[in-house]
């Protein structure tokens, strides 16, 4: 494949020296759970997100689940409470809600931003709504003044799924002033799955929050529910981040804004060159940082998405689909109650993700766009 969708060894090659040094530091330290490496990572990540608390955990799904379970422990959420969630998200967002015994209210996204918007939230509000979970899908922040207004009016918790959006900046202040994804609402989850913009060398995630009580609950829940050694206030989990992953992430965190900016350059190249009557390009807003381009997702009309995908494979271009089957159509959720979700279902059949990571140059992106422009109409 001349233009692979994503090649993780080439992504990490630029950090190889620092990663090897960091791995050696952890191996030689003799400290393989918790300790300084994790504490330093938490501090650096909190500063990066403009939030008082960051807690490294095992992965993004656990980060979301710990937030929800934590809010239950401190009495802000209760069994069966409704949480408004975009229906076109990755299944992990929904799994976290159902695992915590809460009720996800699947909501169609705005077809242009492909994110939850104020209109969607209004259409899903009921007496039992206690929280919203904006998912900053593909790296685009799902937050604006209208959403902030609804949240304040109905006193809702805002739990961000920022798994795809590290370092993205809202164009409107968050609830505590921070505009950085994950720190816009009351609490947010990050994922460092290897393909994410900031990827670990394995699984890792983090909880970001402004709430000291939630931070304490999450920290305890992630460590068997223990607040003080051998003292368990909750029947908790083991969802700690490994020091080796904290060290890997510390090596890469300082380059994250620059890495996001490189993705933006490729997105601009795609948007400038792509010009095909069947293709809808993703929104390109004025602010370069309100989307960190975790994915560059086009929509293909006339039922030709799979044909275009085949054509691109034949022409040496790797692609992916995020996501081909929405959560409510998965076998595990056949009994999940939901309203009709026409936007989510049509998106699932039309979306196509193009290569955008390090390893794809701006020149490659322009060439891929030219290949797409030559895609025959029939
Ligand atoms: C990756 C991802 C998750 C889950 O993160 P993991 O670290 O893989 O558990 C959750 N939500 C979204 C939107 C994601 O993209």
């Amino acid at each position: 494949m001349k233009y692979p969708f994503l090649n993780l060894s080439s992504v990490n090659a630029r950090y190889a020296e620092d990663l090897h040094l960091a791995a050696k530091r952890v191996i030689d330290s003799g400290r393989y759970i918790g300790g300084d490496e994790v504490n330093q990572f938490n501090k650096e990540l909190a500063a990066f997100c403009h939030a008082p608390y960051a807690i490294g955990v095992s992965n993004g799904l656990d980060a979301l689940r710990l937030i929800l379970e934590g809010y239950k422990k401190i009495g802000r959420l209760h069994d069966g409470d409704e949480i408004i969630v975009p229906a076109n998200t990755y299944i992990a967002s929904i799994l976290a809600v159902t695992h915590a015994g809460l009720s996800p209210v699947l909501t169609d996204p705005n077809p242009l931003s492909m994110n939850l918007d104020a209109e969607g939230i209004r259409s899903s509000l009921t007496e039992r709504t206690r929280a919203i979970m904006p998912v900053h899908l593909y790296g685009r922040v799902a937050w604006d003044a209208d959403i902030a207004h609804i949240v304040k009016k109905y006193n809702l918790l805002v739990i961000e799924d920022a798994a795809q959006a590290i370092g993205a900046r809202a164009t409107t202040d968050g609830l505590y002033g921070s505009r950085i994804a994950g720190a816009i609402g009351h609490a947010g989850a990050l994922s460092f799955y290897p393909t994410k913009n900031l990827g670990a060398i394995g699984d890792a995630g983090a909880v970001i929050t402004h709430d000291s009580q939630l931070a304490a609950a999450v920290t305890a829940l992630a460590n068997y529910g223990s607040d003080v050694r051998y003292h368990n206030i909750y029947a908790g989990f083991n969802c700690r981040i490994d020091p080796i992953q904290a060290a890997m992430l510390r090596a890469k965190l300082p380059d994250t804004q620059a890495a996001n900016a490189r993705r933006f350059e490729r997105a601009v190249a795609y948007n400038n060159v792509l010009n095909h009557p069947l293709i809808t390009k993703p929104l390109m807003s004025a602010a370069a940082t309100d989307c960190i381009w975790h994915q560059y997702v086009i929509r293909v009309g006339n039922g030709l998405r799979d044909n275009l995908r085949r054509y691109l494979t034949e022409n040496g271009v790797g692609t992916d689909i995020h996501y081909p089957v929405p959560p409510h159509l998965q076998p595990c959720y056949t009994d999940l109650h939901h309203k009709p979700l026409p936007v989510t279902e049509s998106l699932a059949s039309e979306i196509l993700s193009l290569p955008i990571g390090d390893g794809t140059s701006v020149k490659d992106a322009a060439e891929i766009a030219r290949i797409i422009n030559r895609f025959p109409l029939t």
Side-chain angles (χ1 to χ4, degrees):
M1 192 74 69
K2 184 166 183 205
Y3 303 106
F5 180 68
L6 182 65
N7 178 338
L8 287 176
S9 54
S10 89
V11 168
N12 282 316
R14 82 165 55 229
Y15 310 104
E17 201 180 324
D18 288 342
L19 292 172
H20 287 122
L21 282 172
K24 182 171 168 23
R25 188 171 72 231
V26 174
I27 293 164
D28 294 347
S29 75
R31 183 80 202 239
Y32 308 133
I33 299 287
D36 216 35
E37 207 67 63
V38 171
N39 294 337
Q40 287 304 323
F41 171 64
N42 287 347
K43 246 185 240 168
E44 290 159 16
L45 183 63
F48 180 92
C49 294
H50 302 178
Y53 305 99
I55 303 147
V57 299
S58 36
N59 56 64
L61 170 60
D62 284 345
L64 284 169
R65 193 170 57 122
L66 287 162
I67 292 169
L68 297 169
E69 299 279 3
Y71 272 128
K72 286 177 79 179
K73 294 297 180 204
I74 63 175
R76 292 292 307 272
L77 290 174
H78 300 91
D79 279 341
D81 281 354
E82 290 181 358
I83 302 196
I84 296 173
V85 190
N88 62 326
T89 185
Y90 182 54
I91 196 164
S93 321
I94 314 299
L95 289 173
V97 176
T98 58
H99 286 172
L102 302 162
S103 181
V105 179
L106 302 182
T107 302
D108 257 343
N110 177 298
L112 295 178
S113 68
M114 301 189 254
N115 269 337
L116 192 62
D117 66 2
E119 191 189 328
I121 295 169
R122 266 192 215 97
S123 75
S124 287
L125 274 171
T126 76
E127 306 269 82
R128 291 168 61 207
T129 309
R130 292 292 170 271
I132 63 169
M133 184 184 283
V135 179
H136 308 307
L137 201 66
Y138 311 141
R140 187 182 305 277
V141 172
W143 182 256
D144 58 28
D146 285 347
I147 298 178
H149 175 77
I150 299 174
V151 162
K152 287 170 191 159
K153 183 166 171 193
Y154 296 97
N155 191 25
L156 304 175
L157 282 173
V158 178
I159 296 158
E160 297 166 69
D161 181 341
Q164 302 188 0
I166 186 161
R169 266 183 86 88
T171 51
T172 303
D173 272 353
L175 300 176
Y176 296 84
S178 172
R179 295 186 175 202
I180 305 293
I184 295 167
H186 299 91
L190 295 175
S191 165
F192 307 113
Y193 185 79
T195 62
K196 300 285 156 81
N197 287 32
L198 172 57
I201 311 297
D203 272 316
V207 170
I208 311 296
T209 187
H210 294 273
D211 181 334
S212 60
Q213 239 192 319
L214 180 74
V218 164
T219 303
L221 277 172
N223 189 35
Y224 314 116
S226 168
D227 54 348
V228 177
R229 195 159 187 236
Y230 300 134
H231 182 264
N232 297 69
I233 43 172
Y234 310 125
F237 313 102
N238 178 347
C239 299
R240 299 176 298 227
I241 190 172
D242 290 326
I244 189 105
Q245 297 305 345
M248 300 294 101
L249 292 165
R250 290 183 71 200
K252 293 176 71 175
L253 183 62
D255 188 52
T256 298
Q257 293 298 15
N260 288 347
R262 294 193 291 274
R263 284 175 182 263
F264 173 68
E265 295 303 322
R266 291 169 211 131
V268 169
Y270 277 129
N271 266 44
N272 286 344
V273 180
L274 270 178
N275 171 27
H276 190 288
L278 289 183
I279 285 170
T280 309
K281 299 183 267 191
L283 291 179
M284 184 62 74
S285 62
T289 48
D290 70 347
C291 180
I292 57 154
W293 300 97
H294 174 59
Q295 301 298 352
Y296 182 92
V297 178
I298 59 172
R299 291 179 69 172
V300 188
N302 285 14
L304 288 175
R305 190 264 314 273
D306 294 338
N307 294 44
L308 174 62
R309 193 172 191 206
R310 225 170 298 124
Y311 162 88
L312 286 173
T313 307
E314 285 160 11
N315 284 276
V317 181
T319 57
D320 207 336
I321 297 170
H322 301 92
Y323 299 91
V325 181
H328 70 282
L329 298 177
Q330 295 288 353
C332 66
Y333 278 141
T334 46
D335 57 356
L336 197 67
H337 187 76
H338 62 84
K339 55 188 171 184
L341 298 163
V343 177
T344 297
E345 289 177 18
S346 69
L347 280 175
S349 67
E350 293 182 359
I351 49 177
L352 188 65
S353 305
L354 305 180
I356 186 89
D358 281 338
T360 302
S361 67
V362 168
K363 214 167 127 257
D364 292 342
E367 184 50 33
I368 293 167
R370 282 189 285 270
I371 294 171
I372 294 173
N373 290 344
R374 293 195 292 268
F375 175 57
L377 268 171
T378 48

